[in-house]
């Protein structure tokens, strides 16, 4: 490829905005461009990197017997109703009618579509097990967009789905897909942690995430360095401290403009551990109120488990007001029986807490569970913290911020049963196939790989996924230099080499070479040609050495 013909050149200044440095570097280096909030275009350099990453993933999927398919981005809404997830995805699911008024959705994931594909594509139970995978666009109308490619509305995902005759067969396959994911990330030279995670709106029985430690990440892993326990903080189990003391009489107090935990804590001069926080959530079965201590955050995964309901999202403020509750002053005190109340064990085991009065500017002090309010639903519904202790060994936990790159779900027969996909064996016994789902976000993976291999000058791509292997350039206007440069380009070929044929200063060319991050740079100068040599530079190590002209192509191709 001639650089002069490359669409999407580097930018002189690094774009501002966005919380991810890697995202800004990808923009500056000419890999991506933003079309709008959460919407991104991939330029030729970015497409080349994605193509090479896909090649690695294909090799690993096909080594497991996987077969590549492609199902539509647009799905009938009715299959989401069959699968039982239409309400769970909430407002992030984009739904629209076609010209015949049939409801369609932009799919954020494709479990339902794959079940339907299996229904029309499988003749017998003897065809199981089967692994199908695809690289497909997804769309989620995300509310909180930050970090560039780490949180997008439209994104490309590698998603794979396996179907098995029994849960035992799925269990036996799960470690194989686990190891395949580990190999994928190793080949990208990424330091990845596998941690237990929640199943969320995917449902099922068990899930693991593969995360790369990074300050740019949105996820937090809780780790015990003593016993090796690792889990996403949303589902991690830990020992928590309770505040037990003699119960005092409950009192009503005025708390003007104290609609948040921070304001209330400052106004009353109390730590958040002495406050109770109530939050209202929506589920397909109705409203659920979660009551936790002010120094903790609600875990939707744990709340769903304890309540027995699939929690989709926070309830709308309008819905809360319809109950006669002032937002910011919510509590279970005197709440309608139509609302399910779930209390965290820290609230149930801590005395004399401050709790909202459901009226603006009003709180109650010295509220005690069992005396002033009660519910049969008490359990662990909060995110674990680094300052908690390990449930397994009692040692201190550690929080690690990370980027989620992939996940694997052991779904069982949740979808096949809900969508009535069944098979009959030789003895005429009917059963529902057991299913696994395995995803990797391609944009996240590109962003994370750039984050793992960047420095102040730009990106240093691993050889296996770099857009080109060689950045080729000449210095000077000598006819011989130009001839040698073009001869080398012909030998290496346009798939291997990016030829900087621009009329620019050496400084500009060196700047762009570092920014784009191609693994090797070959520089041809008149002085080096006096000894029939060229200069080779390795981006990852910074090493520079001279190579005989007649050997440079064979050496580069051997790396």
């Amino acid at each position: 490829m001639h650089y002069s013909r490359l669409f999407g050149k580097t930018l002189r200044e690094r774009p501002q905005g966005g919380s991810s440095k890697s995202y800004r570097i990808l923009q500056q280096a000419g890999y991506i461009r933003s079309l709008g909030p959460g919407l991104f275009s991939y330029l030729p350099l970015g497409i080349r990197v994605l193509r090479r990453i896909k090649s690695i993933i294909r090799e690993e999927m096909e080594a497991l017997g996987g077969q590549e398919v492609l199902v539509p981005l647009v799905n009938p809404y009715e299959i989401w109703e069959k699968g039982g997830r239409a309400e769970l995805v909430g407002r992030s699911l984009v739904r629209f009618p076609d010209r015949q008024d049939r409801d369609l959705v932009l799919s954020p994931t494709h479990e339902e579509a794959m079940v339907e594909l299996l229904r029309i594509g499988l003749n017998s139970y003897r065809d199981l097990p089967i692994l199908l995978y695809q690289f497909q666009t997804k769309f989620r109308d995300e509310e909180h967009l930050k970090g560039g490619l780490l949180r997008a509305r439209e994104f490309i995902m590698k998603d794979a789905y396996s179907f098995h005759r029994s849960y035992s067969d799925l269990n036996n396959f799960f470690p194989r897909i686990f190891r395949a994911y580990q190999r994928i990330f190793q080949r990208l030279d990424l330091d990845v942690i596998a941690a237990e995670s929640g199943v969320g709106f995917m449902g099922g029985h068990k899930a693991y995430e593969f995360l790369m430690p990074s300050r740019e990440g949105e996820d937090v892993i809780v780790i015990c360095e003593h016993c090796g326990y690792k889990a996403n903080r949303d589902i991690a189990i830990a020992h928590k401290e309770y505040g037990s003391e003699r119960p005092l009489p409950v009192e009503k107090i005025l708390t003007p403009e104290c609609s948040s935990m921070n304001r209330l804590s400052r106004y009353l001069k109390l730590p958040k551990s002495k406050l109770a926080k109530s939050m209202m959530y929506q589920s397909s079965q109705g409203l659920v109120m979660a009551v936790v201590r002010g120094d903790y955050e609600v875990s939707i995964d744990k709340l769903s488990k304890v309540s027995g309901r699939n929690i989709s999202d926070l309830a709308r403020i309008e819905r809360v007001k319809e109950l006669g509750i002032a937002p910011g002053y919510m509590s279970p005190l005197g709440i309608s029986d139509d609302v399910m109340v779930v209390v965290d064990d820290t609230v149930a085991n801590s005395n004399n807490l401050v709790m909202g009065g459901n009226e603006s500017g009003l709180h109650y002090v010295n509220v005690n569970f069992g005396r002033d309010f009660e519910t049969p639903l008490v359990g662990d519904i909060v995110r674990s913290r680094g300052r908690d202790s390990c449930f397994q060994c009692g040692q201190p936990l550690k929080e690690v911020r990370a980027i989620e790159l992939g996940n694997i779900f052991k779904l069982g027969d949740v979808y096949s049963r809900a969508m009535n996909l069944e098979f009959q064996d030789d003895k005429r016994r009917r059963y529902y196939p057991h299913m696994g789902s395995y995803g990797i976000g391609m944009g996240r993976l590109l962003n994370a790989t750039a984050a793992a291999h960047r420095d102040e000058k730009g990106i240093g791509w691993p050889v296996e996924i770099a857009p080109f292997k060689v950045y080729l350039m000449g210095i000077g206007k000598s006819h011989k230099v130009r001839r040698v440069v073009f001869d080398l380009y012909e030998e290496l070929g346009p798939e291997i080499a990016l030829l900087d044929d621009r009329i620019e200063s050496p400084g500009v060319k060196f700047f762009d070479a570092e920014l784009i991050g191609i693994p090797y740079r070959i520089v041809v100068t008149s002085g080096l040609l006096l000894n029939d040599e060229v200069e080779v530079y390795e981006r990852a190590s910074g090493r520079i050495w001279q190579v005989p002209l007649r050997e440079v192509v064979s050496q580069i191709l051997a790396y």
Side-chain angles (χ1 to χ4, degrees):
M1 169 69 75
H2 288 219
Y3 193 97
S4 62
R5 299 294 302 160
L6 181 66
F7 177 76
K9 302 293 192 297
T10 60
L11 305 175
R12 292 303 94 196
E13 300 294 332
R14 190 159 296 173
Q16 300 300 310
S19 59
S20 167
K21 290 183 179 179
S22 306
Y23 162 63
R24 295 198 294 271
I25 289 178
L26 285 167
Q27 283 188 300
Q28 186 185 11
Y31 287 89
I32 60 171
R33 292 288 185 267
S34 174
L35 183 62
L39 303 171
F40 301 97
S41 299
Y42 290 89
L43 303 184
L45 288 177
I47 289 293
R48 293 178 73 92
V49 175
L50 281 180
R51 191 169 68 214
R52 298 184 193 283
I53 294 175
K54 286 179 181 179
S55 179
I56 291 173
I57 294 173
R58 279 192 176 98
E59 287 179 17
E60 295 295 343
M61 290 299 101
E62 291 176 11
L64 295 175
Q67 301 176 63
E68 187 169 357
V69 297
L70 187 65
V71 299
L73 164 63
V74 177
N75 287 185
Y77 180 69
E78 64 186 61
I79 69 172
W80 279 76
E81 289 183 304
K82 284 182 185 177
R85 292 200 297 177
E87 299 299 325
L88 297 184
V89 183
R91 296 190 289 274
S92 65
L93 183 67
V94 175
R95 177 181 173 185
F96 60 97
D98 65 10
R99 63 179 64 198
Q100 278 81 38
D101 279 335
R102 291 173 297 206
D103 280 346
L104 303 172
V105 299
L106 296 178
S107 287
T109 181
H110 280 99
E111 282 72 21
E112 291 84 355
M114 284 290 179
V115 168
E116 290 301 312
L117 182 63
L118 202 73
R119 189 193 308 278
I120 62 177
L122 213 61
N123 297 319
S124 165
Y125 80 98
R126 295 186 184 89
D127 294 330
L128 299 177
I130 192 166
L131 173 64
L132 304 176
Y133 74 96
Q134 66 172 351
F135 296 95
Q136 174 59 295
T137 299
K138 318 286 185 190
F139 190 91
R140 295 177 189 169
D141 193 10
E142 296 279 4
E143 182 178 2
H144 304 292
L145 299 169
K146 58 182 180 180
L149 296 173
L150 299 182
R151 180 69 63 180
R153 285 195 171 103
E154 181 180 303
F155 53 96
I156 302 168
M157 178 171 279
K158 187 290 299 181
D159 44 325
Y161 307 86
S162 65
F163 295 86
H164 306 264
R165 299 186 193 183
S166 66
Y167 193 72
S168 175
D169 188 34
L170 172 61
N171 264 342
N172 292 335
F173 180 75
F174 214 66
R176 296 179 63 200
I177 198 83
F178 189 99
R179 290 192 294 271
Y181 267 49
Q182 288 181 316
R183 288 192 297 271
I184 289 168
F185 300 126
Q186 286 169 1
R187 291 175 68 175
L188 297 176
D189 196 20
L190 298 178
D191 180 18
V192 170
I193 296 172
E196 189 177 349
S197 65
V199 296
F201 73 85
M202 295 287 289
H205 309 286
K206 196 77 171 178
Y208 288 91
E209 292 174 337
F210 296 83
L211 308 105
M212 185 187 83
S214 171
R215 293 180 181 177
E216 297 179 2
E218 296 178 325
D219 284 86
V220 175
I221 317 167
V222 174
I223 296 175
C224 178
E225 295 180 328
H226 181 76
C227 71
Y229 176 71
K230 301 182 188 72
N232 188 294
R233 67 173 174 178
D234 283 317
I235 61 102
I237 302 172
H239 283 295
K240 297 179 284 189
E241 295 180 357
Y242 304 130
S244 181
E245 57 188 48
R246 182 174 63 84
L248 299 173
V250 65
E251 296 181 34
K252 182 190 296 187
I253 61 170
L254 297 178
T255 51
E257 298 182 359
C258 291
S259 58
S260 71
M261 289 293 103
N262 287 333
R263 289 179 180 177
L264 185 63
S265 176
R266 287 195 298 266
Y267 183 79
L268 297 178
K269 296 182 175 56
L270 290 173
K272 291 182 182 179
S273 59
K274 294 295 295 179
L275 313 178
K277 175 168 59 178
S278 300
M279 300 183 71
M280 192 79 77
Y281 292 88
Q282 182 64 51
S283 78
S284 56
Q285 299 99 322
L287 295 175
V288 177
M289 176 183 284
V291 185
V292 302
R293 219 167 58 190
D295 53 337
Y296 281 96
E297 297 177 23
V298 177
S299 162
I300 291 181
D301 286 286
K302 291 181 178 180
L303 179 61
S304 296
K305 185 175 181 179
V306 174
S307 68
R309 296 183 177 182
N310 291 309
I311 308 299
S312 58
D313 208 344
L314 283 169
R316 294 178 180 271
I317 291 179
E318 294 77 12
R319 184 72 182 92
V320 173
K321 290 181 177 179
E322 287 175 3
L323 297 172
I325 297 173
Y329 296 87
M330 192 185 310
S331 84
L333 300 175
I335 197 73
S336 166
D337 292 339
D338 294 336
V339 178
M340 173 184 281
V341 177
V342 184
V343 172
D344 186 65
D345 52 11
T346 55
V347 172
N349 292 292
S350 297
N351 300 116
N352 303 325
L353 297 177
V354 179
M355 188 171 285
N358 292 320
E359 297 179 28
S360 182
L362 179 68
H363 278 83
Y364 289 90
V365 297
N366 301 328
V367 177
N368 290 270
F369 178 78
R371 184 192 71 181
D372 304 309
F373 75 103
E374 59 183 1
T375 176
L377 295 173
V378 177
D380 178 15
I381 61 168
V382 296
R383 290 174 166 178
S384 297
R385 310 171 304 181
R387 57 182 181 272
D388 293 329
S389 56
C390 179
F391 191 80
Q392 294 185 164
C393 69
Q395 296 299 308
L397 293 172
K398 175 183 177 183
E399 287 185 350
V400 177
R401 187 163 290 277
I403 299 172
E404 179 196 337
L405 303 181
N407 45 54
I408 58 176
F409 295 88
K410 197 181 294 184
L411 300 175
D413 62 0
V414 170
Y415 291 92
S416 57
R417 186 176 292 274
M419 300 179 72
N420 198 31
L421 173 68
E422 59 179 31
F423 292 98
Q424 193 175 79
D425 64 16
D426 289 335
K427 297 181 179 179
R428 297 187 177 277
R429 292 175 300 190
R430 306 190 73 83
Y431 64 93
Y432 300 100
H434 289 265
M435 184 178 178
S437 177
Y438 321 103
I440 293 177
M442 301 302 292
R444 281 174 166 264
L445 192 53
L446 179 73
N447 201 119
T449 308
H453 300 289
R454 68 172 170 82
D455 53 29
E456 290 305 312
K457 296 179 180 179
I459 308 167
W461 295 107
V463 174
E464 196 167 5
I465 64 166
F468 297 93
K469 194 173 187 178
V470 176
Y471 191 100
L472 180 60
M473 59 178 282
I475 295 178
K477 299 179 180 180
S478 161
H479 176 73
K480 185 176 182 181
V481 167
R482 286 179 56 82
R483 179 174 55 79
V484 169
V485 167
F486 278 92
D487 286 347
L488 288 173
Y489 178 71
E490 288 297 320
E491 287 189 67
L492 290 165
E495 280 298 306
I496 299 293
L498 176 61
L499 169 59
D500 194 337
D501 58 337
R502 297 174 297 170
I503 303 173
E504 291 282 3
S505 68
V508 169
K509 294 183 177 182
F510 284 134
F511 177 88
D512 286 341
E514 294 281 4
L515 181 60
I516 294 170
I518 295 171
Y520 297 98
R521 185 177 69 217
I522 297 177
V523 180
V524 181
T525 68
S526 297
L528 289 168
L529 289 179
L530 292 175
N531 296 318
D532 286 329
E533 292 181 332
V534 296
E535 179 184 280
V536 176
Y537 165 79
E538 186 177 51
R539 177 69 172 80
S541 66
R543 185 167 70 100
I544 299 174
W545 69 101
Q546 280 72 49
V547 178
L549 179 58
R550 65 181 180 274
E551 298 177 9
V552 66
V553 172
S554 60
Q555 284 195 24
I556 286 292
L557 294 178
Y559 292 138

